[in-house]
Amino acid sequence: MSAAYCNVALPVPLRTTFTYAVPEALRGQVSPGSRVLAPFRKKSLVGVVVEMVETPPDDAKIREISKVLDLVPALTPKLIELGHWIVGYYLAPIGEVFRAMLPPVTDLSLRREIVLSEAGRNLVADFQAGKALTDLSVQQVDFLQKLSEKKGPMLLGSSAKLGIAPEDLQRLQRRGFLEIRESMQGRKRKTQRIVAWKGSEDSSAQLGEKEERVRSLLTTERGPLPLAKLLKLAEVSRAVVERMLRDGWLESWEEAIDPAEDPFDSGYIPPAHSLNEAQERAFAAVRSRFELGEFGVLLLHGVTGSGKTEVYLRSVQEALARGKTALVLVPEIALTLWIGRQCRAWFGAHFEGVAVLHSALSDVERAREWWRVRNGQARVVVGTRSAIFAPVENLGLIIVDEEQENSYKQEETPRYHGRDVAIVRAKLESAAALLGSATPSLETYHHAVNGKYELLRIATRVENRLLASVEIVDLRQDFAHTFQTSPISKALHEGIAECLEFHTQALVLINRRGYSWSVLCRSCGASVQCVNCSISMTHHKSRNRLECHYCGSIQPVPKTCPKCDSKYVYFFGEGSEHLEERLRKEFPGGRIARLDRDTARTKQQYQETLGAFAGGALDILVGTQMLAKGHDFQRVTLVGVVSADSSLSLPDFRAAERTFQLLTQVAGRAGRGELPGRVLIQTFYPEHYAIQDAVHQDYLSFYERELTFRRLMGYPPFSSLANVIVRDKNLENAIRWSRRLSEYFSPHDGKGVRVLGPASAPLARLKKEHRYQFLLKSPKRSLLTKLLSGALSFCGGNEIPQTAVLVDMDPLSLL
Ligand code: ADP
Ligand code: ZN
Ligand code: ZN
């Protein structure tokens, strides 16, 4: 007898599951991991069953689930276990955790087809030839026979119609006699309409509530979106969007649904390298780990250009050869295309395929890839952060490339770290986790040094290519000689001129986008701040307006000071847009392009610019951090870093680590081909160890010095941190609640946990919300978790809304 009740995690920001009754007709179809449609308040929500319950709860008004979405539960038991771990560790609302793990619910009618497999066909043939089949029931064999007689595919429908019980069907599927495939129904269009925010010159006009939702989605929350998706997310009618298009707030264009940069470029032939000695040694260590067949973490610390990708690919191959599956996580979407393509070329033909999962896929594409994985058709998954939840079974290997990248941390609820979840998942599934980096995070390297992880090292580039030579440009001296305030020093100018002369390429990195990142009044000293956030507005010259980089609000460019009406308004702090303009002036003959979030608003634009640079159609590429990661450009001989200091001066204990990593990564972009590379780092603090060690590309030296600092200060890895933000649009509420919460914290302060705060958060106001902050620090994580879960129950009992308190465990940023 199957259970009559189930606990469902619903996508609401509450820290609880909800119990529903399972109606008679649906019993036997529901099990942990099934997605169900459940009534909640006045809506129906898609949730996931996390537990079956035998005894009815006391509540008399218990409601019934109305529909079961999956025949095969969407989540595997291991994924449910992983979800519970995330809930406990990150203290995240359970429904939001499970929502992050589920495939998108697509509007398109998915057609599920039941097809006989090779094994199924053989079995029917045997049966017809008179062989006895002892271990299958009559119903099961009947069904297989019926299936073999059918001309087209059989659609998955109610079990009464099919003439087989769901359990029997599942059993046949599990034993490989039949497959359940999903196919998209009709409506297969080649292009879709993309809508983007354009703003208008007259930005003083007030936006209505609906228009505001559209604006916010198209700017800070998502960026340009397909029309259908926009309508759904913003919950507005088509008429609203059409009016906004007419009024010049929006722009729109047609884009191919599967753009040209199809990750599965079938003609691609990967370069065949036999592993060199160092790669071979690293790979051998992975192989022995597989031989043990148990959980373990390996850290592959290989300098940039040491051929780590090759080691990854062999390791995946090895996992597949042992009948296992593999997950490959990369820090950004562009790299999923690149590594996905290589995986496809290696494994696509032999093994049912490779799936690619990332957030720039449409819901339909993502659902298709997700179910290919769930159905066992794809055994290699390449993706960004959330691909860690890919429903692979029989997992043998998880690779986390560039494990130190911040993009693995999700900065919205649930605030998990993809790398850390990867390690926990590997442990749950007795798999190996292979972390790779040229600049491992301090925490990871610390574990490797302590023997918790196995350390594999590749100290040289492939074919003994040299690392780029790195030089410092001391901006104080440069100024003393030239008396110029241009962000392009004499040395950098000469370096670029040389590249142009010898037809090689240059990358120029700057950390801010926009034209000027601060607007000040010289008379009264006021700076122009965002109306919603305590942040300076950034001037965007080509769009002729000021923008907030946190909430996306815009303002007209002031001609006079908004406070005192003085006309001495001063723009300062040069961003990427300004730098591009300067470079064009200084190098009129150069072919120059800029790559940042403003110029690469869609993946197509991004690919186009990178493609043009890789193909030699450009000489100079200027841009933000986007340039630093992963790319393998062969003709780059010069990398210039305009200001290494901007990231050093942030109020953040990870500032030095970030600066070192960024400089080392970007230096790794130079000299990857036959030509040697040169890196120029402009700085006002050449003595800082983060800069010195980056110049010598000496990871170990940096690690030692930074570790000493962390030990002294009691920062991770010597302690665990949690950041707690109390926020509300109403200032009094934010103050009252943080005071009340501090009444809970203060008696515990000092008993194994240090509690700092409440203090105004560095970003005191963000998206119209006032923010107060507590910083919790403890050498023992379990104490921290205990105190925080106590705090959350305290909030419940003291009328502090759950949504007003945000917990960030292991925060990467303390803003
Ligand atoms: P990393 O990720 O360590 O920075 P990559 O994996 O991108 O380095 O490899 C750098 C380059 O070296 C690539 O172009 C790759 O094709 C090439 N390569 C990899 N292994 C070898 C090898 N054994 N011999 C020669 N070239 C190799
Ligand atoms: Zn003024
Ligand atoms: Zn703002």
Side-chain angles (χ1 to χ4, degrees):
M1 183 58 210
S2 28
Y5 301 93
C6 57
N7 287 339
V8 179
L10 291 175
V12 291
L14 302 174
R15 295 170 197 281
T16 167
T17 56
F18 299 86
T19 305
Y20 286 88
V22 183
E24 200 67 49
L26 299 181
R27 297 217 181 130
Q29 295 181 32
V30 184
S31 55
S34 306
R35 289 180 306 164
V36 293
L37 201 61
F40 184 76
R41 298 195 179 132
K42 284 184 179 158
K43 277 195 282 192
S44 266
L45 295 177
V46 175
V48 62
V49 175
V50 292
E51 197 176 20
M52 302 305 296
V53 190
E54 300 289 339
T55 45
D58 301 334
D59 189 353
K61 281 191 308 193
I62 193 152
R63 299 170 82 178
E64 289 188 337
I65 56 172
S66 45
K67 202 172 161 114
V68 183
L69 270 64
D70 306 306
L71 180 83
V72 183
L75 298 185
T76 62
K78 293 284 184 204
L79 281 175
I80 296 179
E81 216 179 321
L82 187 66
H84 284 300
W85 179 84
I86 291 174
V87 169
Y89 184 94
Y90 293 103
L91 299 154
I94 186 163
E96 304 211 85
V97 170
F98 281 101
R99 169 164 55 184
M101 301 177 83
L102 290 172
V105 183
T106 49
D107 296 357
L108 268 187
S109 54
L110 274 179
R111 208 166 79 159
R112 302 236 179 107
E113 297 166 350
I114 309 175
V115 235
L116 209 54
S117 69
E118 178 89 37
R121 263 196 303 281
N122 291 341
L123 188 107
V124 172
D126 281 358
F127 181 70
Q128 280 164 347
K131 273 196 204 155
L133 304 169
T134 48
D135 60 342
L136 290 184
S137 70
V138 183
Q139 288 88 342
Q140 290 174 346
V141 177
D142 275 351
F143 183 74
L144 289 178
Q145 213 165 356
K146 201 166 95 192
L147 205 55
S148 76
E149 282 157 19
K150 212 162 161 18
K151 287 226 172 59
M154 187 185 278
L155 290 192
L156 184 60
S158 72
S159 62
K161 248 201 204 144
L162 288 172
I164 185 168
E167 297 89 345
D168 281 341
L169 197 60
Q170 274 188 40
R171 213 159 292 143
L172 287 173
Q173 189 198 11
R174 221 175 299 135
R175 296 193 48 188
F177 294 126
L178 54 82
E179 285 169 20
I180 297 174
R181 289 195 187 140
E182 308 223 10
S183 68
M184 280 338 144
Q185 268 281 50
R187 286 224 273 157
K188 203 165 190 287
R189 294 178 48 206
K190 292 237 160 54
T191 62
Q192 58 186 344
R193 184 144 284 274
I194 307 286
V195 182
W197 175 253
K198 183 162 150 228
S200 101
E201 306 308 332
D202 175 24
S203 11
S204 56
Q206 276 294 311
L207 287 179
E209 200 182 311
K210 285 179 189 158
E211 286 83 352
E212 179 55 33
R213 267 206 308 279
V214 170
R215 188 197 61 74
S216 153
L217 276 164
L218 293 179
T219 53
T220 42
E221 285 180 56
R222 293 295 188 95
L225 286 173
L227 177 62
K229 188 158 185 174
L230 174 66
L231 296 180
K232 202 172 104 206
L233 289 174
E235 297 177 271
V236 299
S237 71
R238 216 187 155 94
V240 173
V241 174
E242 276 166 3
R243 195 174 60 234
M244 291 178 78
L245 274 163
R246 271 200 310 277
D247 293 348
W249 293 102
L250 304 179
E251 58 187 315
S252 129
W253 63 87
E254 290 280 314
E255 193 170 287
I257 288 177
D258 270 340
E261 28 84 342
D262 177 14
F264 298 151
D265 174 5
S266 52
Y268 177 74
I269 300 165
H273 299 295
S274 47
L275 296 185
N276 63 33
E277 212 184 303
Q279 289 170 316
E280 190 62 61
R281 235 180 302 119
F283 172 56
V286 179
R287 206 170 33 207
S288 351
R289 174 59 55 183
F290 284 143
E291 261 144 34
L292 290 175
E294 55 189 44
F295 164 70
V297 184
L298 303 103
L299 169 62
L300 176 56
H301 178 210
V303 297
T304 54
S306 59
K308 294 187 284 295
T309 317
E310 212 80 8
V311 178
Y312 298 156
L313 290 168
R314 303 276 166 146
S315 304
V316 171
Q317 191 176 41
E318 185 71 24
L320 292 175
R322 289 168 188 266
K324 303 274 188 170
T325 57
L327 257 172
V328 183
L329 297 189
V330 293
E332 60 161 303
I333 294 165
L335 294 176
T336 63
L337 302 180
W338 164 237
I339 293 193
R341 197 165 77 149
Q342 302 200 55
C343 281
R344 176 70 172 189
W346 276 55
F347 315 118
H350 304 292
F351 302 95
E352 297 244 62
V354 177
V356 171
L357 285 169
H358 58 73
S359 58
L361 296 177
S362 68
D363 280 355
V364 174
E365 290 170 314
R366 206 150 55 85
R368 183 187 60 208
E369 291 296 275
W370 201 95
W371 283 103
R372 278 195 334 116
V373 176
R374 181 66 183 103
N375 295 337
Q377 289 159 289
R379 297 179 53 212
V380 179
V381 181
V382 181
T384 46
R385 184 176 62 223
S386 64
I388 190 53
F389 302 128
V392 282
E393 285 185 285
N394 208 3
L395 188 60
L397 174 69
I398 307 181
I399 292 173
V400 185
D401 185 28
E402 305 288 358
E403 65 83 30
Q404 82 289 352
E405 283 290 343
N406 287 348
S407 55
Y408 284 122
K409 175 80 195 301
Q410 173 143 307
E411 293 294 4
E412 56 192 56
T413 320
R415 298 174 163 256
Y416 66 92
H417 197 299
R419 174 203 58 218
D420 298 343
V421 173
I423 291 170
V424 173
R425 181 162 186 195
K427 191 164 179 189
L428 286 178
E429 310 213 22
S430 302
L434 175 60
L435 315 180
S437 176
T439 52
S441 68
L442 224 69
E443 286 89 337
T444 297
Y445 202 77
H446 190 62
H447 287 318
V449 170
N450 289 342
K452 205 171 153 197
Y453 299 168
E454 186 175 348
L455 181 58
L456 320 172
R457 224 190 283 259
I458 309 184
T460 51
R461 283 188 161 177
V462 295
E463 305 192 314
N464 289 320
R465 280 175 201 151
L466 295 175
L467 283 171
S469 74
V470 185
E471 299 153 46
I472 283 179
V473 180
D474 186 336
L475 288 174
R476 296 168 302 190
Q477 282 180 18
D478 191 70
F479 180 74
H481 289 121
T482 61
F483 290 104
Q484 281 193 353
T485 53
S486 164
I488 301 170
S489 65
K490 189 159 165 281
L492 183 54
H493 181 97
E494 286 167 4
I496 295 174
E498 215 166 84
C499 284
L500 291 175
E501 188 181 340
F502 293 103
H503 304 289
T504 62
Q505 294 176 308
L507 287 174
V508 186
L509 186 85
I510 182 160
N511 74 320
R512 302 245 202 171
R513 63 193 172 91
Y515 196 79
S516 311
W517 38 266
S518 193
V519 186
L520 264 179
C521 168
R522 281 198 156 157
S523 303
C524 77
S527 76
V528 181
Q529 293 220 326
C530 171
V531 290
N532 305 322
C533 315
S534 37
I535 278 292
S536 304
M537 298 291 281
T538 300
H539 177 213
H540 287 256
K541 189 175 173 190
S542 63
R543 290 189 222 147
N544 187 27
R545 67 190 188 204
L546 307 184
E547 293 182 7
C548 171
H549 285 181
Y550 283 81
C551 76
S553 77
I554 55 177
Q555 290 179 27
V557 179
K559 298 214 165 50
T560 59
C561 171
K563 277 237 172 77
C564 74
D565 214 28
S566 134
K567 45 182 209 272
Y568 298 103
V569 181
Y570 176 58
F571 295 82
F572 104 112
E574 295 191 12
S576 55
E577 194 184 352
H578 204 157
L579 186 64
E580 182 195 4
E581 191 182 278
R582 263 189 201 280
L583 286 167
R584 286 187 191 284
K585 265 191 209 133
E586 292 191 21
F587 305 100
R591 296 168 300 169
I592 301 172
R594 167 162 59 100
L595 194 66
D596 57 26
R597 285 234 317 270
D598 298 316
T599 62
R601 295 209 293 160
T602 64
K603 57 179 171 174
Q604 214 168 6
Q605 291 169 328
Y606 179 81
Q607 289 295 118
E608 268 169 29
T609 310
L610 280 186
F613 190 69
L618 294 167
D619 303 310
I620 306 170
L621 192 58
V622 43
T624 52
Q625 262 90 316
M626 267 188 193
L627 294 183
K629 287 177 205 165
H631 316 293
D632 196 17
F633 302 123
Q634 301 280 314
R635 292 195 61 80
V636 172
T637 55
L638 178 72
V639 170
V641 180
V642 167
S643 167
D645 309 326
S646 34
S647 55
L648 265 183
S649 54
L650 289 175
D652 180 349
F653 73 92
R654 285 200 171 85
E657 182 179 19
R658 276 206 197 113
T659 305
F660 174 80
Q661 284 167 346
L662 179 66
L663 293 178
T664 312
Q665 290 291 338
V666 75
R669 297 310 115 217
R672 292 176 74 88
E674 317 264 287
L675 307 163
R678 182 171 171 226
V679 182
L680 293 177
I681 296 179
Q682 303 190 155
T683 173
F684 286 104
Y685 307 108
E687 312 81 21
H688 195 290
Y689 65 92
I691 292 178
Q692 283 296 328
D693 290 333
V695 166
H696 300 111
Q697 302 189 50
D698 188 344
Y699 178 82
L700 279 178
S701 161
F702 175 77
Y703 170 76
E704 293 296 343
R705 298 207 239 190
E706 181 66 11
L707 201 71
T708 308
F709 162 73
R710 301 278 181 96
R711 189 183 287 119
L712 273 171
M713 303 298 290
Y715 278 129
F718 300 100
S719 69
S720 297
L721 290 186
N723 192 14
V724 179
I725 300 263
V726 179
R727 54 179 186 171
D728 196 69
K729 290 201 167 137
N730 179 314
L731 178 62
E732 271 94 72
N733 282 344
I735 293 176
R736 196 171 65 244
W737 294 332
S738 50
R739 277 217 193 108
R740 211 175 290 163
L741 193 54
S742 90
E743 284 163 24
Y744 170 83
F745 279 133
S746 40
H748 293 91
D749 183 19
K751 299 185 183 142
V753 182
R754 289 271 336 257
V755 183
L756 306 170
S760 179
L763 262 170
R765 204 158 159 260
L766 184 64
K767 298 182 184 171
K768 298 187 175 155
E769 289 180 327
H770 299 271
R771 294 149 48 90
Y772 285 83
Q773 180 182 49
F774 295 90
L775 192 60
L776 279 65
K777 202 165 163 185
S778 174
K780 259 185 105 175
R781 155 168 310 283
S782 55
L783 291 178
L784 202 59
T785 310
K786 211 169 125 219
L787 185 60
L788 278 168
S789 53
L792 291 169
S793 344
F794 175 86
C795 291
N798 284 270
E799 285 159 26
I800 305 176
Q802 294 195 14
T803 46
V805 181
L806 190 155
V807 175
D808 193 3
M809 191 57 93
D810 305 335
L812 281 191
S813 149
L814 299 181
L815 299 179

